[in-house]
Amino acid sequence: MARKNKWSRELVISALAERHKQGKSMTSSAIRKEDQSLRGAMETYFGSHYKALAEIGLTKENVSPLTFWDRDMIKREFLVALEDVSSISELSRKHKKLDHAIRKHYGSYDALCDDLGMDVSVIKRQVREWAGEDLLDVLREIRDDGGPLNITSVKTRFPTVHEVAVRCFGSYENALSSVGEKLDDHICAMKYDSHLGKSFERLLWQMYQDLGYNFSYQKRLCNNTIMPDFYDEDNNIFIDAKLSSWTVFCSSSIEKYLPHCDELIVVYLRGSDIQHDTPRLKLRHVSQYYGELEDAGLTHYIAEFDRLLSKADNLGERSAA
C-alpha cells in the first residue's frame, strides 16, 4: 500500500510492529510484494532488512526459520524423492531445497550415493563417450602446439567442450585450471568483459527461477524486433542485466526497450545508482535481492555474485594498468 507521508526511523518501526501484530509475514519478499515503500524505507534507515526487524525484537530465525539439513535427513529425503524423479535436473526442479542441501553437505550426487551404498546411475545419467580426462588431453595438446585455448577455438577440436567441462569440472574455467591455465589469459579484455556479463545474466536467470519469479527469458517481442533479457509479462516490465550500471547509458537499451514497456529495470553488478531523468527507468543493484535469497536459503547466489564482481574488478585493474 502506497504511503503519502514521509518515512522516518520511528514510522518504520511503528509500521513493522503493526504488521507483526496483524500476523503478517515479515520476510523480505513478503514485505516487498505487499508494501514496497516500507521495504525501501527499511533499507534507507537501517541498512538492511534484518537490522530493521531487530528494532522490534525479531531475528532472522524468528522470521524465516530454514529447514535444518544434516546428512541423515538428506539421505531420508533423497530416498523418498527417488520415488517420483529419475534425474538430477528433475530432482532440482521438484525438490530445490533438497538439491541445495545435497550440494552443500556432499558436494555431488556421486558422494551422496556412495554414502548410501548405491550406484549413482539411479539419479545421474552416465555419459561415457567423453570423460574429463579426454578434454584435458585435448587442452594439453592444443597448448603444447601453441594454439589458442579460448572455448570457441577448442570447439573446433572438441565439439562438446562446454558440456564435458561443466559435467566433469563445473565450468570451462575449472577445466583450464586443471591443466594449469587461467581463463582470462586466453580471452582479450573486451571479450572477457562480455563473458562476465553473460555469466551475470545467466546467474540472474537461475536466481529468478529459484525465487519463483514468473519471468520469460530472452523472449522475442514486437515481431521479433526486440528481445529483453527478462520479461515480466504480468506487469509489462522489461529487465536488462548489465555488468556495470553506467553501461546502460552507453548502449541502445533505453531507446530500444522503453517504448514497448511500462517500466525498464536495469539490474547491475558493479557501480552505483546513477542519477538520471529518464522516466520509467530504474537502476537496481543485484544486492537488493540478497534479503530474499537469505530468506529462501539461497545464499550461494550471493557468493557467486561476489565472485563475479571480484573478477570484473580485477579485469578493470588490469585494463587500467
Side-chain angles (χ1 to χ4, degrees):
M1 180 177 67
R3 299 175 184 271
K4 295 182 179 180
N5 57 304
K6 292 184 178 180
W7 287 104
S8 65
R9 290 177 63 90
E10 292 73 20
L11 285 173
V12 171
I13 293 172
S14 176
L16 289 173
E18 180 62 24
R19 183 182 177 87
H20 185 52
K21 181 180 178 181
Q22 293 175 5
K24 294 183 178 180
S25 172
M26 302 299 287
T27 65
S28 174
S29 56
I31 295 177
R32 179 183 62 81
K33 290 177 181 178
E34 298 170 13
D35 197 336
Q36 291 186 356
S37 178
L38 172 58
R39 182 66 183 85
M42 292 168 69
E43 293 286 343
T44 300
Y45 289 99
F46 297 96
S48 75
H49 179 75
Y50 291 111
K51 286 181 180 178
L53 293 183
E55 295 293 322
I56 61 170
L58 293 180
T59 66
K60 181 177 180 179
E61 289 72 23
N62 298 143
V63 174
S64 180
L66 301 176
T67 302
F68 177 78
W69 292 94
D70 58 23
R71 291 199 169 196
D72 288 338
M73 182 177 180
I74 290 171
K75 287 187 284 189
R76 289 196 304 271
E77 294 298 318
F78 177 68
L79 293 174
V80 172
L82 283 180
E83 296 177 3
D84 70 332
V85 301
S86 58
S87 68
I88 292 176
S89 60
E90 187 180 9
L91 186 145
S92 65
R93 289 196 307 272
K94 293 183 176 180
H95 307 277
K96 292 180 181 179
K97 291 183 179 179
L98 173 60
D99 177 65
H100 294 147
I102 291 171
R103 297 180 189 280
K104 177 180 179 181
H105 289 272
Y106 282 95
S108 70
Y109 280 81
D110 300 74
L112 169 60
C113 289
D114 284 344
D115 195 15
L116 285 166
M118 60 172 56
D119 195 288
V120 73
S121 61
V122 299
I123 189 69
K124 184 178 181 181
R125 184 174 58 188
Q126 300 298 298
V127 181
R128 304 181 185 279
E129 184 178 359
W130 291 103
E133 195 58 40
D134 295 319
L135 173 58
L136 298 186
D137 286 342
V138 171
L139 293 177
R140 294 186 187 103
E141 289 174 8
I142 295 175
R143 179 186 60 191
D144 294 344
D145 291 340
L149 287 176
N150 61 74
I151 194 167
T152 302
S153 299
V154 174
K155 275 186 177 181
T156 62
R157 292 271 299 273
F158 200 102
T160 57
V161 53
H162 177 72
E163 293 82 354
V164 175
V166 171
R167 172 167 53 83
C168 298
F169 303 98
S171 68
Y172 182 61
E173 181 177 7
N174 291 340
L176 281 178
S177 296
S178 297
V179 295
E181 298 290 331
K182 294 181 179 179
L183 179 65
D184 48 339
D185 289 340
H186 300 279
I187 305 177
C188 70
M190 184 175 296
K191 287 186 177 179
Y192 190 54
D193 190 74
S194 176
H195 163 75
L196 291 179
K198 196 65 179 178
S199 297
F200 177 55
E201 175 191 307
R202 289 170 178 163
L203 190 60
L204 272 181
W205 172 230
Q206 294 169 8
M207 180 197 77
Y208 283 140
Q209 288 180 298
D210 280 351
L211 287 176
Y213 282 81
N214 187 29
F215 294 163
S216 299
Y217 180 47
Q218 295 188 339
K219 182 177 182 179
R220 292 191 175 276
L221 304 168
C222 301
N223 296 320
N224 290 328
T225 58
I226 59 173
M227 188 175 69
D229 292 333
F230 310 103
Y231 179 38
D232 178 357
E233 193 166 355
D234 293 338
N235 299 295
N236 193 30
I237 294 174
F238 290 178
I239 300 168
D240 199 29
K242 295 293 186 187
L243 191 64
S244 310
S245 60
W246 58 86
T247 55
V248 67
F249 299 103
C250 307
S251 69
S252 61
S253 296
I254 296 175
E255 295 78 9
K256 184 167 56 176
Y257 295 141
L258 264 182
H260 306 286
C261 62
D262 292 335
E263 186 174 78
L264 172 62
I265 298 175
V266 175
V267 180
Y268 62 94
L269 179 66
R270 62 177 176 176
S272 58
D273 187 355
I274 300 172
Q275 297 300 312
H276 62 86
D277 298 319
T278 306
R280 299 183 289 114
L281 171 67
K282 289 185 178 180
L283 301 186
R284 177 181 296 169
H285 190 270
V286 68
S287 63
Q288 292 189 31
Y289 293 104
Y290 287 4
E292 289 181 68
L293 291 171
E294 291 173 351
D295 289 344
L298 300 173
T299 54
H300 64 283
Y301 281 109
I302 299 176
E304 285 296 309
F305 287 131
D306 288 344
R307 184 179 66 85
L308 278 178
L309 178 59
S310 177
K311 288 187 174 184
D313 288 342
N314 289 338
L315 176 65
E317 291 173 3
R318 288 198 302 274
S319 299

